[in-house]
Amino acid sequence: FKEILQLGWYFDYVMNISESDFLVKPLEAFEAHLRTRVGRNFVATSGKEMLRFQDGQGMKKMFYNCDDHMYRVGDRSLPFGLQWVGGSDWVILHRDFVHYLVTSDDALVRGLTNFYFYSIMAPESFFHTALFNSR
């Protein structure tokens, strides 16, 4: 997201969607939906299945990417004191939250950035955990 901010574009939301996502309603209806919820972020969580999600997504494992190959280098525990959540990596984030993630130097963002650097499926949990634990 840093690159988007550096471009100097004015935007309301950033969406992370797949290459095969298509609108099922007119674009105008989607834009109207977002206009009535200004400032909100949209993420889908795994809800009550978080323990299974954490195990299934390798959150308790450390990975390292080298030469386009992901290596599992060991086990780890989730740091205490945070609500660890995750779900779909298809998210819609408001510009204020994107700006916070990119420019903040607080302990939460620094800690999550470091933790997820050694993760295999960061987009499926990083944004969710940051949202649930930020102000």
Side-chain angles (χ1 to χ4, degrees), residues 11-110:
F11 61 91
D12 292 317
Y13 289 94
V14 172
M15 296 185 298
N16 182 34
I17 57 177
S18 78
E19 77 287 344
S20 57
D21 284 328
F22 297 99
L23 292 174
V24 294
K25 293 185 177 184
L27 178 60
E28 294 77 17
F30 180 59
E31 291 171 338
H33 180 79
L34 292 177
R35 273 195 302 276
T36 64
R37 290 153 180 85
V38 173
R40 293 190 181 177
N41 297 285
F42 302 87
V43 298
T45 66
S46 295
K48 296 178 182 178
E49 300 294 323
M50 274 318 303
L51 291 177
R52 192 161 53 178
F53 176 86
Q54 292 168 359
D55 290 335
Q57 298 303 315
M59 290 179 69
K60 297 178 183 175
K61 306 285 183 198
M62 288 184 69
F63 295 88
Y64 189 75
N65 188 345
C66 181
D67 294 331
D68 292 328
H69 184 79
M70 188 65 77
Y71 296 92
R72 190 174 112 193
V73 295
D75 294 329
R76 65 178 171 182
S77 57
L78 298 177
F80 182 75
L82 293 177
Q83 185 174 0
W84 293 92
V85 292
S88 173
D89 56 343
W90 314 128
V91 299
I92 301 173
L93 304 175
H94 189 263
R95 72 172 172 264
D96 293 342
F97 186 65
V98 170
H99 188 266
Y100 164 71
L101 292 175
V102 171
T103 63
S104 177
D105 190 36
D106 70 16
L108 174 66
V109 175
R110 281 193 326 268

